[in-house]
């Protein structure tokens, strides 16, 4: 490009350089300083220098600048990926405390653990909650949330729960669309955690208003509810409700839904 350039060639190269500065300047205006380039160009014109040589050197400089910029961006992206992977690893470590239930190849690991968490809650906490409140006026505060958790967590005759069956259908209907699959998965997480939050807040409210006798004993049928009996058998209502509340809160936090549920504190 050191040979004499025609006016059209000079104009074309100038336009290309200016466009490069403009586009990359949106990402990093300090590095891609178009004003500095224009000053250098004006200088070479005033000095009646070799325009071809000047433009050739500017093109090389610009390519080097772009290469360096891309290298920096790649390093930043790699650091972000490492941070994200670390956060995800820490999240999965928390979820490993729960049972994992595989129900569909497209289901994320998080959702398999959530299904396990809700299934355990339905087997361990729900029977106690129902025992304490069933048949009382207070049960109306909990009924909808209990029903929702049953729909997500209760497994009958070896079949997935009703909500998980609905999710599997949504995954099949999505026909490989990852966005639709993610949306359906997140909706299930939100529904389950909202039900847990409603149980948590209802218990807090009913206990604070003395709507329950804290000293009554939870006489759980061991044969019908072995998991509930192992955890809550022959414990006082107050102890049971405190533990159920904490379990609700823990699941919401472990599945990173506490901010959405306004339960950060």
């Amino acid at each position: 490009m050191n040979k004499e350039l025609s006016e059209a060639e000079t104009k074309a190269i100038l336009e290309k350089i200016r466009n490069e500065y403009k586009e990359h300047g949106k990402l990093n205006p300090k590095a891609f300083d178009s004003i500095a380039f224009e000053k250098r160009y004006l200088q070479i014109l005033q000095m009646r220098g070799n325009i071809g040589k000047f433009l050739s050197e500017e093109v090389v400089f610009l390519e080097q600048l772009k290469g360096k910029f891309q290298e920096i961006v790649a390093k930043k992206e790699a650091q972000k990926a490492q941070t994200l992977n670390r956060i995800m690893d820490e999240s999965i470590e928390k979820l490993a405390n729960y049972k994992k239930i595989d129900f569909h190849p497209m289901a994320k690991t998080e959702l398999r653990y959530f299904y396990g968490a809700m299934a355990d809650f339905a087997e361990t906490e729900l029977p106690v909650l129902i025992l304490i409140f069933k048949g009382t006026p207070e049960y109306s505060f909990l009924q909808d949330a209990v029903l929702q958790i049953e729909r997500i967590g209760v497994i009958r005759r070896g079949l997935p729960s009703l909500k998980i069956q609905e999710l599997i259908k949504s995954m099949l209907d999505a026909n490989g669309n990852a966005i639709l699959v993610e949306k359906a998965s997140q909706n299930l997480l939100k529904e389950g955690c909202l039900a847990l939050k409603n149980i948590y807040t209802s218990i807090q409210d009913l206990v604070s208003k003395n709507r329950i006798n804290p000293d009554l004993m939870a006489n759980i049928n061991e044969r019908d509810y072995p998991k509930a009996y192992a955890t809550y058998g022959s414990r006082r209502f107050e102890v049971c409700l405190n533990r159920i509340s904490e379990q609700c809160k823990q699941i919401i936090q472990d599945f990173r839904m506490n901010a959405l549920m306004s339960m950060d504190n």
Side-chain angles (χ1 to χ4, degrees):
M1 209 193 295
N2 291 347
K3 65 181 181 64
E4 286 294 321
L5 297 174
S6 67
E7 186 178 340
E9 287 174 326
T10 300
K11 186 178 178 182
I13 296 169
L14 269 173
E15 186 178 356
K16 179 174 172 54
I17 291 173
R18 283 167 173 157
N19 285 338
E20 291 275 11
Y21 271 108
K22 182 180 178 182
E23 288 304 310
H24 285 81
K26 293 174 184 176
L27 302 173
N28 192 325
K30 189 174 180 180
F32 294 91
D33 188 348
S34 60
I35 295 174
F37 165 73
E38 295 296 344
K39 285 180 179 178
R40 292 194 297 274
Y41 178 56
L42 184 59
Q43 229 174 14
I44 202 75
L45 289 176
Q46 290 171 341
M47 294 169 59
R48 298 183 182 277
N50 187 325
I51 299 295
K53 185 173 184 297
F54 167 77
L55 292 178
S56 176
E57 289 172 350
E58 285 292 332
V59 168
V60 171
F61 171 71
L62 189 54
E63 288 303 314
Q64 290 173 343
L65 197 59
K66 284 161 59 180
K68 187 66 177 175
F69 179 69
Q70 287 166 1
E71 184 183 327
I72 292 169
V73 169
K75 283 181 181 178
K76 286 183 179 178
E77 289 300 319
Q79 287 172 351
K80 283 182 186 176
Q82 288 175 358
T83 302
L84 182 60
N85 289 337
R86 178 176 54 77
I87 291 170
M88 292 305 294
D89 288 344
E90 288 172 358
S91 296
I92 293 298
E93 280 179 22
K94 289 181 182 178
L95 302 189
N97 295 320
Y98 301 97
K99 175 173 65 179
K100 182 169 75 168
I101 301 178
D102 294 320
F103 61 90
H104 193 277
M106 289 180 68
K108 293 195 308 181
T109 301
E110 181 184 38
L111 205 58
R112 299 176 196 209
Y113 277 120
F114 185 70
Y115 184 23
M118 296 301 277
D120 274 343
F121 191 93
E123 286 184 289
T124 308
E125 276 72 38
L126 274 196
V128 185
L129 202 63
I130 292 170
L131 171 72
I132 294 172
F133 289 103
K134 191 77 170 181
T136 71
E138 287 73 26
Y139 187 64
S140 62
F141 294 98
L142 299 155
Q143 193 167 6
D144 288 345
V146 168
L147 180 61
Q148 185 70 305
I149 289 173
E150 285 177 340
R151 287 171 60 80
I152 296 173
V154 173
I155 301 168
R156 292 191 175 95
R157 298 187 299 276
L159 293 173
S161 69
L162 293 175
K163 277 291 183 179
I164 292 297
Q165 288 182 48
E166 290 176 12
L167 179 62
I168 292 170
K169 184 179 182 305
S170 296
M171 288 178 170
L172 294 173
D173 290 344
N175 198 26
N177 187 318
I179 294 173
L180 292 179
V181 170
E182 178 65 17
K183 184 178 179 181
S185 302
Q186 286 299 312
N187 284 340
L188 183 71
L189 274 168
K190 289 174 189 174
E191 288 172 12
C193 287
L194 184 59
L196 291 171
K197 180 194 174 181
N198 288 340
I199 287 175
Y200 174 86
T201 53
S202 294
I203 289 174
Q204 300 299 306
D205 186 54
L206 293 171
V207 169
S208 69
K209 292 178 179 176
N210 298 316
R211 297 285 291 272
I212 195 76
N213 186 337
D215 296 320
L216 290 177
M217 305 299 288
N219 296 316
I220 302 159
N221 188 312
E222 183 179 6
R223 186 185 65 182
D224 293 339
Y225 307 108
K227 286 190 176 182
Y229 178 83
T231 304
Y232 295 97
S234 300
R235 293 181 182 270
R236 293 166 57 241
F237 280 6
E238 183 180 30
V239 174
C240 293
L241 292 174
N242 285 339
R243 183 168 182 141
I244 292 170
S245 292
E246 285 307 308
Q247 187 65 6
C248 290
K249 193 173 182 180
Q250 192 66 55
I251 293 172
I252 291 169
Q253 288 176 342
D254 287 344
F255 286 88
R256 297 175 291 114
M257 298 293 285
N258 44 313
L260 190 61
M261 297 293 130
S262 301
M263 292 182 71
D264 282 324
N265 296 325

